[in-house]
Coordinates of all heavy atoms in Angstrom, one line a residue:
V10 N 9.8 -13.8 4.1 CA 10.3 -13.8 2.7 C 9.3 -13.1 1.8 O 9.7 -12.3 1.0 CB 10.5 -15.3 2.2 CG1 10.8 -15.3 0.7 CG2 11.6 -15.9 3.0
A11 N 8.0 -13.2 2.0 CA 7.0 -12.6 1.1 C 7.1 -11.1 1.2 O 7.0 -10.4 0.3 CB 5.7 -13.1 1.5
S12 N 7.2 -10.6 2.5 CA 7.3 -9.1 2.6 C 8.6 -8.6 2.1 O 8.6 -7.5 1.4 CB 7.1 -8.7 4.1 OG 8.2 -9.1 4.9
T13 N 9.7 -9.3 2.2 CA 10.9 -8.9 1.7 C 10.9 -8.7 0.2 O 11.3 -7.8 -0.4 CB 12.1 -9.8 2.1 OG1 12.1 -9.9 3.5 CG2 13.4 -9.4 1.6
T14 N 10.3 -9.8 -0.5 CA 10.2 -9.8 -1.9 C 9.2 -8.6 -2.4 O 9.5 -7.9 -3.3 CB 9.6 -11.1 -2.4 OG1 10.5 -12.2 -1.9 CG2 9.5 -11.2 -3.9
G15 N 8.2 -8.4 -1.7 CA 7.2 -7.4 -2.0 C 7.9 -6.0 -1.9 O 7.7 -5.2 -2.8
W16 N 8.6 -5.8 -0.8 CA 9.2 -4.4 -0.7 C 10.3 -4.3 -1.8 O 10.4 -3.2 -2.3 CB 9.9 -4.3 0.7 CG 8.9 -4.1 1.8 CD1 8.6 -5.0 2.8 CD2 8.0 -3.0 2.0 NE1 7.5 -4.5 3.6 CE2 7.2 -3.3 3.1 CE3 7.8 -1.8 1.3 CZ2 6.3 -2.3 3.6 CZ3 6.9 -0.9 1.7 CH2 6.1 -1.2 2.9
Q17 N 11.1 -5.3 -2.0 CA 12.2 -5.1 -2.9 C 11.7 -5.0 -4.4 O 12.5 -4.4 -5.2 CB 13.2 -6.3 -2.8 CG 14.0 -6.2 -1.5 CD 15.1 -7.2 -1.3 OE1 15.3 -8.0 -2.2 NE2 15.7 -7.2 -0.2
R18 N 10.6 -5.4 -4.7 CA 10.0 -5.3 -6.0 C 9.7 -3.7 -6.3 O 9.7 -3.3 -7.4 CB 8.8 -6.1 -6.2 CG 9.0 -7.5 -6.5 CD 7.7 -8.2 -6.7 NE 8.0 -9.6 -7.1 CZ 7.0 -10.5 -7.3 NH1 5.8 -10.1 -7.2 NH2 7.3 -11.7 -7.5
K19 N 9.4 -3.1 -5.2 CA 9.0 -1.7 -5.3 C 10.1 -0.7 -5.3 O 9.9 0.5 -5.5 CB 7.9 -1.3 -4.2 CG 6.8 -2.2 -4.1 CD 5.9 -2.1 -5.3 CE 4.7 -3.1 -5.1 NZ 4.0 -3.2 -6.4
I20 N 11.3 -1.2 -4.9 CA 12.4 -0.3 -4.7 C 13.4 -0.4 -5.8 O 13.6 -1.4 -6.4 CB 13.2 -0.7 -3.4 CG1 12.2 -0.5 -2.2 CG2 14.4 0.1 -3.1 CD1 12.7 -1.0 -0.9
D21 N 14.0 0.8 -6.1 CA 15.0 0.9 -7.2 C 16.2 0.0 -6.9 O 16.5 -0.2 -5.7 CB 15.4 2.4 -7.4 CG 16.3 2.5 -8.6 OD1 15.8 2.2 -9.7 OD2 17.4 3.0 -8.4
D22 N 16.8 -0.5 -7.9 CA 17.9 -1.4 -7.7 C 19.1 -0.8 -6.9 O 19.8 -1.5 -6.2 CB 18.5 -1.9 -9.1 CG 17.5 -2.9 -9.8 OD1 16.7 -3.4 -9.1 OD2 17.8 -3.1 -11.0
T23 N 19.3 0.5 -7.0 CA 20.4 1.1 -6.2 C 20.1 1.1 -4.7 O 21.1 1.2 -4.0 CB 20.6 2.5 -6.7 OG1 19.4 3.2 -6.6 CG2 21.0 2.6 -8.2
F24 N 18.9 0.9 -4.3 CA 18.6 0.9 -2.9 C 18.2 -0.5 -2.4 O 17.9 -0.6 -1.2 CB 17.5 1.9 -2.6 CG 17.8 3.3 -2.9 CD1 17.4 4.0 -4.0 CD2 18.7 4.0 -2.1 CE1 17.7 5.3 -4.3 CE2 19.0 5.3 -2.3 CZ 18.5 5.9 -3.4
R25 N 18.2 -1.5 -3.2 CA 17.7 -2.8 -2.8 C 18.4 -3.4 -1.6 O 17.8 -3.9 -0.7 CB 17.7 -3.7 -4.0 CG 17.0 -5.0 -3.8 CD 16.7 -5.7 -5.0 NE 15.7 -5.0 -5.8 CZ 15.4 -5.3 -7.0 NH1 16.0 -6.3 -7.7 NH2 14.5 -4.6 -7.7
G26 N 19.8 -3.3 -1.7 CA 20.5 -3.9 -0.6 C 20.3 -3.1 0.7 O 20.3 -3.7 1.8
R27 N 20.2 -1.8 0.6 CA 20.0 -1.0 1.8 C 18.6 -1.3 2.4 O 18.4 -1.4 3.7 CB 20.0 0.5 1.5 CG 21.5 0.9 1.1 CD 21.5 2.3 0.7 NE 22.7 2.6 0.0 CZ 22.9 3.3 -1.1 NH1 21.8 4.0 -1.5 NH2 24.0 3.4 -1.7
S28 N 17.6 -1.5 1.6 CA 16.3 -1.9 2.1 C 16.3 -3.2 2.8 O 15.7 -3.4 3.9 CB 15.2 -1.8 1.0 OG 15.4 -2.9 0.1
F29 N 17.0 -4.2 2.2 CA 17.1 -5.5 2.9 C 17.9 -5.4 4.2 O 17.4 -6.0 5.2 CB 17.9 -6.5 1.9 CG 18.1 -7.8 2.5 CD1 17.1 -8.7 2.6 CD2 19.3 -8.2 3.1 CE1 17.2 -10.0 3.2 CE2 19.5 -9.4 3.7 CZ 18.5 -10.3 3.7
S30 N 19.0 -4.6 4.2 CA 19.7 -4.4 5.5 C 18.8 -3.8 6.6 O 18.8 -4.2 7.7 CB 20.9 -3.6 5.2 OG 21.8 -4.2 4.4
F31 N 18.0 -2.8 6.2 CA 17.2 -2.1 7.1 C 16.1 -3.1 7.7 O 15.9 -3.1 8.9 CB 16.5 -0.9 6.4 CG 15.6 -0.1 7.4 CD1 16.2 0.6 8.4 CD2 14.3 -0.1 7.3 CE1 15.4 1.4 9.2 CE2 13.4 0.6 8.1 CZ 14.0 1.4 9.1
E32 N 15.5 -3.8 6.8 CA 14.5 -4.8 7.3 C 15.1 -5.9 8.1 O 14.5 -6.3 9.2 CB 13.8 -5.5 6.1 CG 12.7 -6.4 6.5 CD 12.0 -7.0 5.4 OE1 12.4 -7.0 4.2 OE2 10.8 -7.6 5.7
F33 N 16.3 -6.3 7.8 CA 17.1 -7.3 8.7 C 17.4 -6.7 10.0 O 17.2 -7.4 11.1 CB 18.4 -7.7 8.0 CG 19.0 -8.9 8.6 CD1 18.5 -10.1 8.5 CD2 20.1 -8.7 9.4 CE1 19.2 -11.2 9.0 CE2 20.8 -9.7 10.0 CZ 20.3 -11.0 9.8
I34 N 17.7 -5.4 10.1 CA 18.0 -4.8 11.4 C 16.7 -4.8 12.2 O 16.7 -5.0 13.4 CB 18.6 -3.4 11.2 CG1 20.0 -3.5 10.8 CG2 18.5 -2.6 12.5 CD1 20.7 -2.2 10.4
L35 N 15.6 -4.3 11.6 CA 14.3 -4.3 12.3 C 13.9 -5.7 12.9 O 13.4 -5.8 13.9 CB 13.2 -3.8 11.4 CG 13.3 -2.3 11.0 CD1 12.2 -1.9 10.0 CD2 13.3 -1.4 12.3
L36 N 14.1 -6.8 12.0 CA 13.8 -8.1 12.5 C 14.7 -8.5 13.7 O 14.2 -9.0 14.7 CB 14.0 -9.1 11.4 CG 13.0 -9.1 10.3 CD1 13.4 -10.0 9.1 CD2 11.6 -9.5 10.8
D37 N 16.0 -8.1 13.6 CA 16.9 -8.4 14.8 C 16.4 -7.7 16.1 O 16.4 -8.3 17.1 CB 18.3 -8.1 14.5 CG 19.0 -9.1 13.6 OD1 18.5 -10.2 13.4 OD2 20.1 -8.8 13.1
I38 N 16.0 -6.4 15.9 CA 15.6 -5.7 17.1 C 14.3 -6.3 17.6 O 14.1 -6.4 18.8 CB 15.4 -4.2 16.7 CG1 16.7 -3.6 16.4 CG2 14.6 -3.5 17.7 CD1 16.6 -2.2 15.8
S39 N 13.4 -6.7 16.7 CA 12.2 -7.3 17.2 C 12.4 -8.6 17.9 O 11.7 -8.9 18.9 CB 11.1 -7.4 16.0 OG 11.6 -8.4 15.1
F40 N 13.3 -9.4 17.4 CA 13.7 -10.7 18.1 C 14.2 -10.4 19.4 O 13.9 -11.1 20.4 CB 14.7 -11.5 17.3 CG 14.2 -12.0 16.0 CD1 15.0 -12.2 14.9 CD2 12.8 -12.3 15.8 CE1 14.6 -12.7 13.7 CE2 12.4 -12.8 14.6 CZ 13.3 -13.0 13.5
T41 N 15.1 -9.4 19.6 CA 15.7 -9.1 20.9 C 14.6 -8.6 21.8 O 14.5 -9.0 23.0 CB 16.7 -8.0 20.7 OG1 17.7 -8.5 19.8 CG2 17.4 -7.6 22.1
I42 N 13.7 -7.7 21.4 CA 12.6 -7.2 22.3 C 11.7 -8.4 22.6 O 11.3 -8.5 23.8 CB 11.8 -6.1 21.5 CG1 12.8 -4.9 21.5 CG2 10.6 -5.7 22.3 CD1 12.2 -3.7 20.6
G43 N 11.4 -9.2 21.7 CA 10.6 -10.4 22.0 C 11.2 -11.3 23.0 O 10.5 -11.8 23.9
A44 N 12.4 -11.6 22.9 CA 13.1 -12.4 23.9 C 13.1 -11.8 25.3 O 12.9 -12.5 26.3 CB 14.5 -12.7 23.5
L45 N 13.4 -10.5 25.4 CA 13.4 -9.8 26.6 C 12.0 -9.8 27.2 O 11.8 -10.0 28.4 CB 13.9 -8.3 26.5 CG 15.4 -8.2 26.2 CD1 15.7 -6.8 25.8 CD2 16.2 -8.7 27.3
A46 N 11.0 -9.6 26.4 CA 9.6 -9.5 26.9 C 9.1 -10.9 27.4 O 8.5 -11.0 28.4 CB 8.6 -9.0 25.8
T47 N 9.5 -12.0 26.7 CA 9.1 -13.3 27.1 C 9.8 -13.7 28.4 O 9.2 -14.3 29.2 CB 9.5 -14.3 26.0 OG1 8.9 -13.9 24.7 CG2 9.1 -15.7 26.3
G48 N 11.1 -13.3 28.5 CA 11.8 -13.5 29.8 C 11.1 -12.8 30.9 O 11.0 -13.4 32.0
A49 N 10.7 -11.6 30.7 CA 10.1 -10.8 31.7 C 8.7 -11.4 32.1 O 8.3 -11.5 33.3 CB 9.9 -9.3 31.3
I50 N 8.0 -11.9 31.1 CA 6.8 -12.5 31.4 C 6.9 -13.8 32.2 O 6.2 -14.1 33.2 CB 5.9 -12.8 30.1 CG1 5.5 -11.5 29.4 CG2 4.7 -13.7 30.4 CD1 5.1 -11.7 27.9
Y51 N 7.9 -14.6 31.8 CA 8.2 -15.8 32.6 C 8.6 -15.5 34.0 O 8.2 -16.1 35.0 CB 9.4 -16.6 31.9 CG 9.7 -17.8 32.7 CD1 8.9 -18.9 32.8 CD2 10.9 -17.8 33.4 CE1 9.3 -20.0 33.6 CE2 11.3 -18.9 34.2 CZ 10.5 -20.0 34.2 OH 10.9 -21.1 35.0
D52 N 9.5 -14.4 34.2 CA 9.9 -14.0 35.5 C 8.7 -13.6 36.4 O 8.6 -13.9 37.6 CB 10.9 -12.9 35.5 CG 12.3 -13.3 35.0 OD1 12.5 -14.6 35.0 OD2 13.0 -12.4 34.6
N53 N 7.7 -13.0 35.8 CA 6.5 -12.5 36.6 C 5.5 -13.6 36.8 O 4.8 -13.6 37.8 CB 5.9 -11.3 35.8 CG 6.7 -10.0 36.0 OD1 7.3 -9.8 37.0 ND2 6.7 -9.2 34.9
T54 N 5.4 -14.5 35.9 CA 4.3 -15.5 36.1 C 4.9 -16.8 36.6 O 4.1 -17.6 37.2 CB 3.7 -15.8 34.7 OG1 4.6 -16.4 33.8 CG2 3.0 -14.6 34.1
G55 N 6.2 -17.1 36.3 CA 6.7 -18.4 36.8 C 6.3 -19.6 35.9 O 6.6 -20.7 36.3
S56 N 5.6 -19.3 34.9 CA 5.1 -20.4 34.0 C 5.6 -20.2 32.6 O 5.3 -19.2 31.9 CB 3.5 -20.3 34.0 OG 3.0 -21.2 33.0
I57 N 6.3 -21.2 32.1 CA 6.8 -21.2 30.7 C 5.6 -21.2 29.7 O 5.6 -20.7 28.7 CB 7.8 -22.2 30.4 CG1 8.6 -22.0 29.1 CG2 7.2 -23.6 30.5 CD1 9.4 -20.8 29.1
E58 N 4.6 -22.0 30.1 CA 3.4 -22.1 29.3 C 2.7 -20.8 29.1 O 2.3 -20.4 28.0 CB 2.5 -23.2 29.8 CG 1.3 -23.4 29.0 CD 0.4 -24.5 29.6 OE1 0.9 -25.4 30.3 OE2 -0.8 -24.5 29.3
T59 N 2.5 -20.1 30.2 CA 1.8 -18.8 30.1 C 2.7 -17.8 29.3 O 2.2 -17.1 28.4 CB 1.6 -18.2 31.5 OG1 0.8 -19.1 32.3 CG2 0.9 -16.9 31.4
A60 N 4.0 -17.8 29.5 CA 4.8 -16.9 28.7 C 4.8 -17.3 27.2 O 4.8 -16.4 26.4 CB 6.3 -17.0 29.3
T61 N 4.8 -18.5 26.9 CA 4.8 -19.0 25.5 C 3.5 -18.5 24.8 O 3.5 -18.0 23.7 CB 4.9 -20.5 25.4 OG1 6.2 -20.8 26.0 CG2 4.9 -21.0 24.0
W62 N 2.3 -18.7 25.5 CA 1.0 -18.4 24.9 C 0.9 -16.8 24.7 O 0.4 -16.4 23.7 CB -0.1 -19.0 25.7 CG -0.3 -20.4 25.4 CD1 -0.1 -21.4 26.3 CD2 -0.8 -21.0 24.2 NE1 -0.4 -22.6 25.7 CE2 -0.9 -22.4 24.4 CE3 -1.1 -20.4 23.0 CZ2 -1.2 -23.3 23.4 CZ3 -1.6 -21.3 22.0 CH2 -1.6 -22.7 22.2
I63 N 1.3 -16.1 25.7 CA 1.2 -14.7 25.6 C 2.1 -14.2 24.4 O 1.8 -13.3 23.6 CB 1.6 -14.0 26.9 CG1 0.6 -14.2 28.0 CG2 1.9 -12.5 26.7 CD1 1.0 -13.8 29.4
T64 N 3.3 -14.7 24.3 CA 4.3 -14.4 23.3 C 3.7 -14.8 21.9 O 3.8 -14.0 20.9 CB 5.6 -15.0 23.5 OG1 6.1 -14.6 24.7 CG2 6.6 -14.6 22.4
C65 N 3.0 -16.0 21.8 CA 2.4 -16.4 20.6 C 1.3 -15.4 20.1 O 1.2 -15.1 18.9 CB 1.9 -17.8 20.7 SG 3.2 -19.1 20.7
G66 N 0.5 -15.0 21.1 CA -0.6 -14.1 20.8 C 0.0 -12.7 20.3 O -0.5 -12.2 19.3
A67 N 1.1 -12.3 20.9 CA 1.7 -11.0 20.5 C 2.2 -11.1 19.1 O 2.1 -10.2 18.3 CB 2.8 -10.6 21.5
V68 N 2.9 -12.2 18.8 CA 3.4 -12.5 17.4 C 2.3 -12.5 16.4 O 2.4 -11.9 15.3 CB 4.2 -13.8 17.4 CG1 4.5 -14.2 15.9 CG2 5.5 -13.6 18.2
I69 N 1.2 -13.2 16.7 CA 0.0 -13.2 15.7 C -0.5 -11.8 15.5 O -0.8 -11.4 14.4 CB -1.0 -14.2 16.3 CG1 -0.5 -15.6 16.2 CG2 -2.3 -14.0 15.5 CD1 -1.4 -16.7 16.9
V70 N -0.7 -11.0 16.6 CA -1.2 -9.7 16.4 C -0.3 -8.8 15.6 O -0.7 -8.1 14.7 CB -1.5 -9.1 17.8 CG1 -1.8 -7.6 17.7 CG2 -2.7 -9.8 18.5
G71 N 1.0 -8.9 15.9 CA 2.0 -8.2 15.2 C 2.0 -8.6 13.7 O 2.2 -7.7 12.8
G72 N 1.9 -9.9 13.4 CA 1.9 -10.3 12.1 C 0.7 -9.8 11.3 O 0.8 -9.4 10.1
L73 N -0.5 -9.8 11.9 CA -1.6 -9.3 11.3 C -1.5 -7.8 11.0 O -2.0 -7.3 10.0 CB -2.9 -9.6 12.1 CG -3.2 -11.1 12.2 CD1 -4.4 -11.3 13.2 CD2 -3.7 -11.6 10.8
A74 N -1.0 -7.1 12.0 CA -0.8 -5.7 11.8 C 0.2 -5.4 10.6 O -0.1 -4.5 9.8 CB -0.3 -5.0 13.1
W75 N 1.3 -6.1 10.6 CA 2.2 -6.0 9.5 C 1.6 -6.3 8.1 O 1.8 -5.6 7.1 CB 3.4 -6.9 9.7 CG 4.5 -6.8 8.6 CD1 4.7 -7.7 7.7 CD2 5.4 -5.7 8.4 NE1 5.7 -7.3 6.8 CE2 6.1 -6.1 7.2 CE3 5.5 -4.5 9.0 CZ2 7.1 -5.2 6.7 CZ3 6.5 -3.7 8.4 CH2 7.3 -4.0 7.3
R76 N 0.8 -7.3 8.1 CA 0.1 -7.7 6.9 C -0.8 -6.6 6.4 O -0.9 -6.3 5.2 CB -0.6 -9.0 7.1 CG -1.5 -9.5 5.9 CD -0.6 -9.9 4.7 NE -1.4 -10.4 3.6 CZ -1.6 -9.8 2.5 NH1 -0.9 -8.7 2.2 NH2 -2.3 -10.3 1.6
A77 N -1.6 -6.1 7.3 CA -2.5 -5.0 7.0 C -1.8 -3.8 6.5 O -2.2 -3.1 5.5 CB -3.4 -4.7 8.2
L78 N -0.7 -3.4 7.1 CA 0.1 -2.2 6.7 C 0.7 -2.4 5.4 O 0.7 -1.6 4.5 CB 1.1 -1.9 7.7 CG 2.1 -0.8 7.4 CD1 1.3 0.6 7.4 CD2 3.2 -0.7 8.4
S79 N 1.3 -3.7 5.2 CA 1.9 -3.9 3.9 C 0.9 -3.9 2.7 O 1.1 -3.4 1.6 CB 2.6 -5.3 3.9 OG 3.6 -5.3 4.8
A80 N -0.3 -4.5 2.9 CA -1.3 -4.5 1.9 C -1.8 -3.1 1.6 O -2.0 -2.8 0.4 CB -2.5 -5.3 2.4
R81 N -1.9 -2.3 2.6 CA -2.3 -0.9 2.3 C -1.2 -0.1 1.5 O -1.6 0.6 0.6 CB -2.6 -0.2 3.7 CG -3.0 1.2 3.5 CD -3.2 1.9 4.8 NE -4.5 1.5 5.3 CZ -4.9 1.8 6.5 NH1 -4.2 2.4 7.4 NH2 -6.1 1.3 6.9
I82 N 0.0 -0.3 1.8 CA 1.1 0.4 1.1 C 1.2 -0.1 -0.3 O 1.3 0.7 -1.2 CB 2.4 0.3 1.9 CG1 2.4 1.0 3.2 CG2 3.6 0.7 1.0 CD1 3.5 0.8 4.1
I83 N 1.1 -1.4 -0.5 CA 1.2 -2.0 -1.8 C 0.0 -1.6 -2.7 O 0.2 -1.2 -3.8 CB 1.4 -3.5 -1.7 CG1 2.7 -3.9 -1.2 CG2 1.2 -4.2 -3.1 CD1 2.9 -5.3 -0.8
A84 N -1.2 -1.5 -2.1 CA -2.3 -1.1 -2.9 C -2.3 0.4 -3.3 O -2.6 0.7 -4.4 CB -3.6 -1.3 -2.0
S85 N -1.7 1.2 -2.4 CA -1.6 2.6 -2.7 C -0.5 2.9 -3.7 O -0.7 3.7 -4.6 CB -1.4 3.5 -1.4 OG 0.0 3.2 -1.0
S86 N 0.5 2.1 -3.7 CA 1.6 2.2 -4.7 C 1.1 1.7 -6.1 O 1.5 2.3 -7.1 CB 2.9 1.6 -4.3 OG 2.7 0.2 -4.4
A87 N 0.2 0.7 -6.1 CA -0.3 0.2 -7.3 C -1.3 1.2 -7.9 O -1.3 1.4 -9.2 CB -1.0 -1.1 -7.1
Q88 N -2.0 1.9 -7.1 CA -3.0 2.9 -7.6 C -2.2 4.1 -8.2 O -2.7 4.7 -9.2 CB -3.9 3.4 -6.5 CG -5.0 2.3 -6.2 CD -5.9 2.8 -5.1 OE1 -5.6 3.8 -4.4 NE2 -6.9 2.1 -4.9
S89 N -1.1 4.5 -7.6 CA -0.4 5.6 -8.0 C 0.3 5.4 -9.4 O 0.7 6.3 -10.1 CB 0.7 6.1 -7.0 OG 1.7 5.1 -6.8
K90 N 0.5 4.1 -9.8 CA 1.2 3.8 -11.0 C 0.1 3.8 -12.2 O 0.5 3.9 -13.3 CB 1.8 2.4 -11.0 CG 3.1 2.4 -10.1 CD 3.7 1.1 -10.2 CE 5.0 1.1 -9.4 NZ 5.7 -0.2 -9.5
V91 N -1.1 3.8 -11.8 CA -2.2 3.8 -12.9 C -2.4 5.1 -13.4 O -2.2 6.1 -13.3 CB -3.5 3.1 -12.3 CG1 -4.6 3.3 -13.3 CG2 -3.3 1.8 -11.9

């Protein structure tokens, strides 16, 4: 929710729905890839616990990367307005 709100604050009203739709598609794609990857990890390891921990680690790394990218973009757009 926080990233959606942040992005939509920076976008013109005429593109707001399109940006939400694009972000929603990206989230759906990431959920699908995550489910496929988790299933593949489980198939290879035979352990639901191992698959869960590996997936949790990947989600944390991805979230931190997204946060860093978002902060950089928001900071650069704030500087360009000054």
Side-chain angles (χ1 to χ4, degrees):
V10 172
S12 68
T13 301
T14 303
W16 287 113
Q17 288 186 0
R18 284 183 176 175
K19 307 293 181 197
I20 295 173
D21 188 59
D22 288 343
T23 57
F24 297 106
R25 190 167 290 170
R27 294 178 197 141
S28 69
F29 176 76
S30 297
F31 182 69
E32 185 178 15
F33 190 75
I34 287 172
L35 291 178
L36 287 171
D37 281 348
I38 291 169
S39 68
F40 293 151
T41 303
I42 291 170
L45 290 170
T47 303
I50 293 167
Y51 175 72
D52 287 343
N53 287 325
T54 64
S56 169
I57 193 71
E58 184 176 331
T59 302
T61 301
W62 282 111
I63 291 172
T64 303
C65 287
V68 168
I69 290 170
V70 169
L73 291 173
W75 178 254
R76 175 69 177 113
L78 176 65
S79 296
R81 179 181 284 170
I82 291 171
I83 291 170
S85 69
S86 70
Q88 288 178 349
S89 66
K90 288 184 178 182
V91 173

